[in-house]
Structures are given as structure tokens and as C-alpha cells.
């Protein structure tokens, strides 16, 4: 009789024990903040990673790219956007990246595009428990890099949406080619103040737009002293011609992203709605 009682008790213990183990294995992952994570050997190749609570391999990722004319800037410049995104997208991971800055002897292209590739490869190869579905938010030079990478180099179409804030999009724009800063911009980008047609086409986002390009929202200033206001309409026309969903916003009195609080509130409101609908 005692043996008959012991067997059910052992079975109950085993079942209960297995249940506890499963509960532990299935416990939601805690939120994590990882700062200055290296994704390469250069000191500038650092990222901040913000991982949400209860993430999984389906967790989408928002990638931030700062501006600075390809020669300056830092991820700290856009760090204030992280808490805003956390509120609006609590289930998304956020990655704020630095990239190697251009110098007199080392132009921006191709190394800054290579850095985006390296960041995404790092995210894929490490066990962060996130997906390979990305949205880019880029500012100025970072917006140019976002557009160029997504349109020309994202062969697997993992970039699902782009938010472009005053990004150069078409270097063949007459208002750009006649701009006094155009020679220095091309020198920084490709190492030549008089780039060849092939070089221009290579770094020119609109040249790489296809029907498979990701949805894009853009924001430009009508009084921008650095990036001509005509860049927005030219980007929109190229996307429209390829039947790619896009939204174009012009702030007629705005400069190069140095906008007032009301304007930025409008930018982030439209950006949030765009990402919720398209990402």
C-alpha cells in the first residue's frame, strides 16, 4: 500500500518540478540598456542598445543615425530621442549608432555604409533576441546614409521604413551642384571636389530607388542653408515614380533642422504615426 502511495507522490513531484523549470525558461526577458558596445575595432565604432522588456525574435528595431556633415557629430546628439521612442514604441528595440567620421585622407564613402552593415551584422550575430526588421531615423548626413543604405545596399530588404530629416537625397540637383558647399561635400564623401559621374551616381540615393524600396517619410526646411529645399520634392518624385509609399513635409520657414519646439512636435507626431502605420 505504501508503495502505491509513493508512486503518485513521485509523479506529482516530477510534474511540479518540470512546471517550475518551464516557468523559469519562459520568463519574460528583462529590459536592458547596453552603452558603448563595440561593433568593430575602431574607437568610433560604438552603439548604444536599448532592449525592451519581454522581447522576442519578432521584436522590431529602430536605428538612429546622427548628423554632422559626415565629418562630425555623435550618437549623443540624438540621445534625447530615445526616451520619446521608448514611450511611443515600448515593444521595440532602439539602437543609437556612431560611425567612423570622414577625414582628409579617409572619405565617408564607403566606410560609413560599411559601418551600417557592421552594426546590423552585429545585431544579427549576437543573442539579443530581436528581429532583423529595421526602421532608420536619420538626421542630415545620417539621413543620407539611411537613404543610401536602404535603397542601394539592403539586398535582403530588412529595412522596412525610413525617416529622413533634412537628408541630402540627390546630388545632381542644380540647386545642390551650384551650392558653394558642394565641392567640400563631395570631397568629404568620395575624396574629390570634382567627382566623376559614376561616383555621384554611386552615392546618390535617388539613383537606387526601385519598386521594392521601403516607405519613406521626409522633413525639410524651406530656408535650409546647407541642404537645398528642392531635395525633398526630388526625393518624393523619384519615390512616386517607383510607386513607393512616401510622405513629404516642408517647413517653409525652417532651416537645417534648427527648428522650434512646435515644429519638432509636428515632426515627431508625423514620424510616430508613420512608423506605427508602416513599420
Amino acid at each position: 500500500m505504501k508503495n502505491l502511495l509513493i508512486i503518485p507522490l513521485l509523479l506529482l513531484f516530477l510534474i511540479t518540478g518540470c512546471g517550475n523549470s518551464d516557468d523559469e525558461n519562459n520568463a519574460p526577458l528583462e529590459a536592458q540598456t547596453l552603452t558603448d558596445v563595440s561593433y568593430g575595432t575602431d574607437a568610433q565604432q560604438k552603439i548604444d542598445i536599448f532592449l525592451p522588456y519581454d522581447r522576442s525574435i519578432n521584436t522590431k528595431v529602430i536605428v538612429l543615425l546622427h548628423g554632422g556633415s559626415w565629418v562630425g557629430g555623435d550618437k549623443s546628439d540624438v540621445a534625447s530621442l530615445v526616451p520619446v521612442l521608448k514611450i511611443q514604441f515600448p515593444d521595440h528595440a532602439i539602437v543609437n549608432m556612431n560611425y567612423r567620421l570622414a577625414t582628409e585622407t579617409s572619405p565617408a564613402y564607403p566606410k560609413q555604409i560599411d559601418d551600417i552593415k557592421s552594426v546590423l551584422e552585429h545585431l544579427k550575430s549576437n543573442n539579443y533576441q530581436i528581429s532583423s526588421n529595421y526602421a532608420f531615423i536619420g538626421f542630415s548626413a545620417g539621413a543620407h546614409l539611411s537613404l543610401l543604405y536602404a535603397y542601394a545596399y539592403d539586398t535582403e530588404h530588412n529595412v522596412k521604413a525610413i525617416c529622413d530629416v533634412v537628408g541630402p537625397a540627390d546630388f545632381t540637383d542644380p540647386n545642390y551642384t551650384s551650392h558653394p558647399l558642394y565641392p567640400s561635400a563631395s570631397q568629404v564623401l568620395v575624396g574629390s571636389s570634382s567627382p566623376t559621374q559614376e561616383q555621384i551616381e554611386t552615392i546618390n540615393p535617388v539613383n537606387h530607388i526601385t519598386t521594392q524600396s521601403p516607405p519613406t517619410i521626409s522633413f525639410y526646411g524651406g530656408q535650409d542653408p546647407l541642404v537645398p529645399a528642392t531635395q525633398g520634392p526630388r526625393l518624393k518624385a523619384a519615390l512616386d515614380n517607383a510607386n513607393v509609399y512616401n510622405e513629404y513635409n516642408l517647413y517653409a520657414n525652417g532651416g537645417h533642422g534648427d527648428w522650434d519646439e512646435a515644429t519638432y512636435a509636428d515632426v515627431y507626431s508625423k514620424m510616430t504615426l508613420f512608423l506605427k502605420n508602416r513599420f
Side-chain angles (χ1 to χ4, degrees):
M1 180 66 75
K2 287 183 179 179
N3 290 337
L4 292 176
L5 288 174
I6 289 172
I7 292 173
L9 287 173
L10 286 172
L11 289 174
L12 180 61
F13 174 81
L14 290 171
I15 292 170
T16 304
C18 291
N20 288 339
S21 177
D22 288 343
D23 288 344
E24 290 175 3
N25 292 336
N26 295 326
L29 293 171
E30 294 297 325
Q32 281 187 280
T33 296
L34 308 171
T35 58
D36 288 328
V37 176
S38 295
Y39 66 87
T41 57
D42 192 281
Q44 294 179 335
Q45 293 176 308
K46 304 285 188 181
I47 52 177
D48 297 337
I49 308 172
F50 304 88
L51 301 170
Y53 172 77
D54 196 20
R55 62 190 175 278
S56 72
I57 58 172
N58 296 317
T59 295
K60 298 176 181 178
V61 184
I62 298 173
V63 181
L64 304 179
L65 292 95
H66 68 81
S69 300
W70 303 281
V71 298
D74 186 86
K75 56 186 171 62
S76 61
D77 298 340
V78 295
S80 61
L81 184 54
V82 172
V84 177
L85 292 171
K86 282 185 174 182
I87 293 171
Q88 295 295 336
F89 303 95
D91 298 327
H92 290 37
I94 303 167
V95 175
N96 190 6
M97 67 171 285
N98 273 348
Y99 45 85
R100 289 170 294 171
L101 301 176
T103 66
E104 290 184 2
T105 57
S106 179
Y109 181 85
K111 70 179 181 182
Q112 292 176 357
I113 290 296
D114 290 340
D115 282 353
I116 296 176
K117 292 179 183 177
S118 294
V119 167
L120 301 188
E121 287 170 1
H122 173 88
L123 296 176
K124 289 178 183 178
S125 61
N126 287 271
N127 190 28
Y128 293 123
Q129 290 297 296
I130 54 178
S131 76
S132 295
N133 292 330
Y134 307 110
F136 285 174
I137 301 178
F139 298 83
S140 190
H144 164 258
L145 296 172
S146 298
L147 296 169
L148 183 60
Y149 177 83
Y151 296 160
Y153 294 93
D154 181 27
T155 56
E156 296 181 359
H157 305 291
N158 290 323
V159 181
K160 307 300 183 184
I162 308 170
C163 300
D164 152 37
V165 182
V166 297
D170 186 359
F171 293 106
T172 67
D173 179 356
N175 290 297
Y176 218 143
T177 57
S178 62
H179 196 287
L181 292 177
Y182 185 84
S184 60
S186 61
Q187 180 70 45
V188 163
L189 273 167
V190 297
S192 172
S193 58
S194 301
T196 66
Q197 185 66 31
E198 182 180 0
Q199 285 176 314
I200 293 173
E201 289 178 358
T202 299
I203 61 169
N204 213 35
V206 297
N207 280 88
H208 304 284
I209 292 172
T210 70
T211 56
Q212 293 182 297
S213 295
T216 303
I217 187 170
S218 61
F219 304 90
Y220 290 91
Q223 307 302 317
D224 192 329
L226 301 179
V227 176
T230 47
Q231 289 286 285
R234 292 176 77 91
L235 174 60
K236 177 173 175 53
L239 291 165
D240 285 344
N241 287 339
N243 292 316
V244 175
Y245 179 86
N246 69 94
E247 300 177 22
Y248 159 64
N249 300 275
L250 175 68
Y251 300 101
N253 298 317
H256 189 65
D258 51 348
W259 304 327
D260 58 27
E261 288 185 11
T263 302
Y264 263 116
D266 187 67
V267 169
Y268 292 138
S269 174
K270 290 176 178 175
M271 188 183 292
T272 298
L273 186 61
F274 168 79
L275 289 174
K276 288 186 174 180
N277 288 336
R278 296 289 165 175
F279 181 42

